[in-house]
Structures are given as C-alpha cells and as structure tokens.
Amino acid sequence: MKNYDKYIPWFVGLYILAIALTVVYFFGLFTTFDKQTRGNIEGSEVRSVYILNDDKEVKITDQETIDRFLNLFKDVKLMEVSSSQVHFRNSDYWVTVYVNNYKKFSFNVYDDQFLSIFDPEKRKDRLKYCRIRSEVDLGVLKDIFNSSPPI
C-alpha cells in the first residue's frame, strides 16, 4: 500500500487543476454585449447603423438616436451557446454598425432570448451565438426602427 502513497499528491493536484479549468471555462461563457463587440466603440465614433427586417431597411445617422440604440445593448448580459440551442424561427432584426464608413460588426436579434454577433475583424470565431441573460427592451429597438425612414 505504501507504493501508492507517493502518487496521491499528483492525483489531488490533477483533480484540482481539472476543477479550476472547468470553472474558468464555465465563467468564460458568461459575457456582455460590450465585451463581445470589443467594448472599444464609443457612441460618437459610430457614424451609421443599418437595421433590416423582413419589411424594410433603415439607416440611422442621427447621433442621438445612435447613442440611444447602442445604450440599449451596451450592458446586456450574454451567455455563449452553440448554434443548435438558438431558435432560428426568423431573425427579427439584422443590425450592422459602421465606424467611419467601415463595417465594425453586425448582429442578429432573433427574439428577446437569442442573438448572434459577427465580427469581421476576427480570424477565428467570427460568429458567436448567445443567449440573452438580462432584460433588454426590444420595444426601444422597434420604436427606433419604425420611426426611421426606409432607405
């Protein structure tokens, strides 16, 4: 029995390492919209936002409306999920954000539970699917969309 006693610290160490890596991975799944969009976009840098749904497409260039729109999603809490968990009924809104006439990122809002974020600047993991974990008032998005003239 003494031959196995010298291996016990190794097994305990590996067990603790496995638990630590699991915790780090699990908490890495929880994020915010701001972090997913690199958090470095100031509202004043955004020059235009395109919003599209099945009926029409609008372009928002008014800085006050852009700030209102970005603040709607800024602190939304997300959890990364696989695409198989997303309910792809219909995407309610396709949104593209431009900074200085350059496409910075885009995202699809499927409903008040899911969205996907596409980052063209990333080489890996450009498209991420997320479950919305906090309240987001999509009525504000609908108001902005309906009050803007179509393109």
Side-chain angles (χ1 to χ4, degrees):
M1 191 78 97
K2 287 203 172 220
N3 293 337
Y4 297 114
D5 289 345
K6 63 182 179 182
Y7 296 112
I8 290 174
W10 286 99
F11 289 125
V12 170
L14 288 174
Y15 183 72
I16 292 172
L17 180 65
I19 289 174
L21 290 175
T22 302
V23 168
V24 168
Y25 172 75
F26 183 70
F27 282 108
L29 294 177
F30 294 101
T31 185
T32 63
F33 185 84
D34 199 36
K35 288 180 186 175
Q36 286 295 318
T37 57
R38 293 179 311 285
N40 58 359
I41 298 174
E42 296 294 326
S44 60
E45 293 178 343
V46 176
R47 297 291 178 229
S48 61
V49 175
Y50 287 85
I51 306 173
L52 171 73
N53 76 357
D54 292 334
D55 299 330
K56 70 177 182 176
E57 179 179 1
V58 300
K59 178 181 179 182
I60 302 170
T61 55
D62 175 47
Q63 195 62 46
E64 182 179 320
T65 308
I66 289 172
D67 291 340
R68 186 172 156 221
F69 175 78
L70 292 177
N71 286 334
L72 173 66
F73 289 98
K74 183 178 182 180
D75 295 325
V76 171
K77 294 179 182 174
L78 304 173
M79 182 176 96
E80 285 187 44
V81 296
S82 68
S83 62
S84 63
Q85 294 174 309
V86 178
H87 303 141
F88 290 108
R89 289 175 227 125
N90 280 331
S91 183
D92 289 343
Y93 296 97
W94 295 274
V95 179
T96 306
V97 176
Y98 285 85
V99 174
N100 298 327
N101 296 326
Y102 177 72
K103 182 179 179 179
K104 195 66 168 177
F105 66 91
S106 61
F107 63 98
N108 293 355
V109 179
Y110 296 105
D111 51 23
D112 62 346
Q113 294 181 355
F114 295 100
L115 61 82
S116 62
I117 300 172
F118 178 75
D119 188 347
E121 294 180 356
K122 289 185 178 178
R123 301 189 110 240
K124 185 178 179 185
D125 296 331
R126 286 180 164 190
L127 180 63
K128 293 190 178 188
Y129 296 98
C130 300
R131 176 183 296 275
I132 299 172
R133 298 183 318 128
S134 61
E135 292 293 321
V136 59
D137 186 9
L138 293 182
V140 174
L141 173 60
K142 291 175 186 176
D143 289 343
I144 291 171
F145 183 76
N146 291 330
S147 65
S148 301
I151 295 179

